[in-house]
Amino acid sequence: MRDRPKVPDKRIVAGLESAYGISVRAIEFLPIGNDAAAAAFRVRGEQRAFFLKLRVGSPNRASLTVPHHLRLSGIDSVVAPLATITGALFAELDEYSLILYPWIKGESKLGKTLRPRQWHEWGAIMRAIHRTCLSEALKAQLPQEEYGKRWPSRLEKVERALGRIHQPHAFADELAKLWRQKAAQIAEARERYLSLGSRLEARGYEHVICHGDIHPANIMVDAAGAIHIVDWDEVILAPKERDLMFFLVDGHPQDAVSAFLEGYGDCQVDKFGLAYYRYDWVLQEFCDYGERVSLSNELSERELQFSIDEFKRLFSPGDVVELAEKAYRDSGKP
């Protein structure tokens, strides 16, 4: 969220002090992230700093319990939410949820270069995550891969909204025009997503814990060079290709991919699975930005313009549509 929510600092501070028992000295809004329902803050306590996520409504429970479990299982690179005084992993504040994390003193690797050693370490971390066992109770909290069923109905809802003769505002009108211009590529992406999804469902893959959104923006590297994995909002039980897609068919240099695979260890990777998840990502982006512009009444002009710009960028060279098309070609075009 790039616009600060209309919640007074003193209200947030009171909620933190009551729920977490910390003494807050300062709070700073951070205009970062691509989640229109969550705002980020840096919180300074008496002895340490924290990262606060202020989310509209209740959080996805698995996005809190799974990283907490992984951390307890010994995977120290996972950044898990801190517990409240009562042991809960979040606190309620009016219509919001407070989710507090330790502050990682480092930088996101979005647009930055990782050393081969770090790519190797990243591979080993992902292997450990994928091999971690869950109790049946914890498994029940996680969404599971639906193989081609997640996005089509949402995409159709966006298209119905954009097909209206009179749009509610200029941003929706602009997106409707862009959508018509890209109609052939959008239809092709949906068709390939459905066909690949049917193929994968028939194969019966093993499902593992997948971060689901493990791109460089969700990797922090501290001053010592250690990797920290943040933002578990998309956690899901799915084939390993769900996560490996971000490493193997995301435009990284071949030496980086090789170092990652050395760290991950020997495994059979399904190219159809990689292509499916590239198209899953494409449809997710279409739905996300389409819903923000055509179906939301609460976003500012700044957020709406950001959504328009991001939708345009999806079709740029080297971005998600082109990466999906390449992964499809490399799979052998089923």
Side-chain angles (χ1 to χ4, degrees), residues 41 108 120 138 248 288 303 310 318 322 334:
F41 294 84
S108 163
H120 188 280
L138 197 50
L248 307 187
D288 184 14
E303 288 281 0
E310 289 297 294
E322 184 177 281

Side-chain angles (χ1 to χ4, degrees), residues 98-117:
L98 299 172
I99 311 167
L100 198 64
Y101 297 88
W103 179 265
I104 304 301
K105 191 175 181 180
E107 62 177 1
S108 163
K109 298 315 292 181
L110 181 63
K112 306 289 178 63
T113 301
L114 284 170
R115 300 186 183 93
R117 174 185 62 79

